[in-house]
Amino acid sequence: MKKALLIGINSYPAGNELKGCIEDIHQVATALERNGDGSPNFEVLKLEDVQTSAKAMVAIEQLFTDNGSDTALLYFSGHGYVNTTGAEIVMPHDIESETQYYTGLQMSSIMDIVNKSTIRNKVIILDCCHSGNMGKYKLEATSSILEPGVSILTACRDDEYAEEAGGHGLFTEQLCNALNGGAADYCGNITIGGIYAYIDRTFGPWAQRPVFKTNVSAFAPLKTVKPQVSMEIIRQLTSLFTNPNEEFALDPSFEDTNNPTVEHKWVEPYATQENVTKFKILQKLQSIGFVKPVGEEFMYFAAMRSKSCKLTDLGRYYWRLVNDGKI
């Protein structure tokens, strides 16, 4: 069972209002609640415009209470702040004026709860300014203190601001794209590590930079979607290649358009159904970077010119997974 608490705040006091945070949590909720096949995924609780740190803290404590869930995810979209007492996420009642904050909800206090939780997988995602401070216990600390099973993904570094555009956070837009399939691996699994890798590619070196911190031995899927190539196809790696380093010999009989019924130049040997079927599988494996032609740029010419194809480094890795019965 997976559960998620999503906190979004727009209605801060005058001069501090935000526009996209409520929309952010609705988009994240939509991305989390169902897997790609429509099956239930996270049970989501949304808190819109929660006014006090005390109310937010109660909800966070409930989220990370172990009631049989294997994954707990906290997402916050709103103001973040740093003062002499540490880094905070800010609720409306924490703001005295446009330029002065009371003490908000300390990031270190949240980490105390998270690190003590016995839930196996704990994920914190923050879209707020200075969110890279999450995981530090002191402002001057350069490293994070994370217990096993904890992962943190933040919109920006500890000294940066998180930007809004088009009615939502820039970071959250990419987070949702990742959850909706952009970060899926070859098995259709979306993990927090894959999400960071996806988001990291979309931010340049000079703007805000997402931060990822984790202490896990293996990434648990946050969501599953239909893979680009089915596992049935991937499992045929070992039948096509008897060892991961061999080349698969091709000839014109593998190309289905190479037959006298197709009006273009054709050569012998003509296409056979058995070889055409294998070739289509090889082309699908090429589309995800598992196979590449030898001596040619395209698989078509490798077949028509009787060349070969072979596994890439990634293809050899997955060949071993199939051979060992791990997928």
Side-chain angles (χ1 to χ4, degrees), residues 150-166:
V150 178
S151 295
I152 299 171
L153 179 58
T154 69
C156 59
R157 289 175 284 208
D158 54 9
D159 59 347
E160 292 180 331
Y161 297 94
E163 301 295 333
E164 280 191 322

Side-chain angles (χ1 to χ4, degrees), residues 7 18 20-21 24 75-80 89 125-131 153-156 161-164 168-173 175 208:
I7 302 174
L18 294 173
C21 300
D24 282 348
Y75 169 87
F76 173 78
S77 180
H79 276 305
I89 62 174
I125 303 176
L126 302 182
D127 192 351
C128 62
C129 299
H130 308 292
S131 50
L153 179 58
T154 69
C156 59
Y161 297 94
E163 301 295 333
E164 280 191 322
H168 49 74
L170 294 175
F171 167 82
T172 293
E173 178 182 15
L175 170 66
Q208 70 182 72

Side-chain angles (χ1 to χ4, degrees), residues 83-258:
N83 57 27
T84 56
T85 64
E88 307 161 349
I89 62 174
V90 180
M91 308 299 147
H93 285 190
D94 299 329
I95 301 177
E96 181 178 15
S97 66
E98 184 173 346
T99 58
Q100 185 173 354
Y101 290 69
Y102 291 121
T103 299
L105 183 50
Q106 296 283 327
M107 292 185 187
S108 59
S109 298
I110 297 172
M111 286 307 307
D112 284 335
I113 295 170
V114 174
N115 278 330
K116 291 176 183 177
S117 173
T118 57
I119 295 175
R120 182 166 53 180
N121 303 300
K122 291 146 285 194
V123 178
I124 302 171
I125 303 176
L126 302 182
D127 192 351
C128 62
C129 299
H130 308 292
S131 50
N133 282 289
M134 179 60 79
K136 294 182 179 181
Y137 276 83
K138 296 180 180 179
L139 285 180
E140 63 270 19
T142 58
S143 60
S144 303
I145 304 174
L146 305 182
E147 293 297 324
V150 178
S151 295
I152 299 171
L153 179 58
T154 69
C156 59
R157 289 175 284 208
D158 54 9
D159 59 347
E160 292 180 331
Y161 297 94
E163 301 295 333
E164 280 191 322
H168 49 74
L170 294 175
F171 167 82
T172 293
E173 178 182 15
Q174 298 306 320
L175 170 66
C176 291
N177 289 340
L179 284 167
N180 287 328
D185 66 13
Y186 301 106
C187 300
N189 295 319
I190 299 173
T191 68
I192 190 65
I195 291 171
Y196 171 71
Y198 177 89
I199 292 175
D200 180 63
R201 295 192 296 266
T202 67
F203 285 88
W206 302 108
Q208 70 182 72
R209 290 295 305 163
V211 174
F212 181 50
K213 308 172 186 179
T214 191
N215 181 9
V216 297
S217 57
F219 288 122
L222 297 180
K223 182 177 179 179
T224 59
V225 297
K226 183 178 180 180
Q228 182 179 346
V229 172
S230 71
M231 289 306 303
E232 180 183 358
I233 294 295
I234 292 175
R235 291 191 185 103
Q236 295 191 51
L237 281 168
T238 52
S239 61
L240 293 167
F241 297 88
T242 57
N243 73 73
N245 298 310
E246 75 173 355
E247 293 186 8
F248 187 102
L250 299 171
D251 62 47
S253 69
F254 285 84
E255 172 52 48
D256 63 345
T257 64
N258 183 48

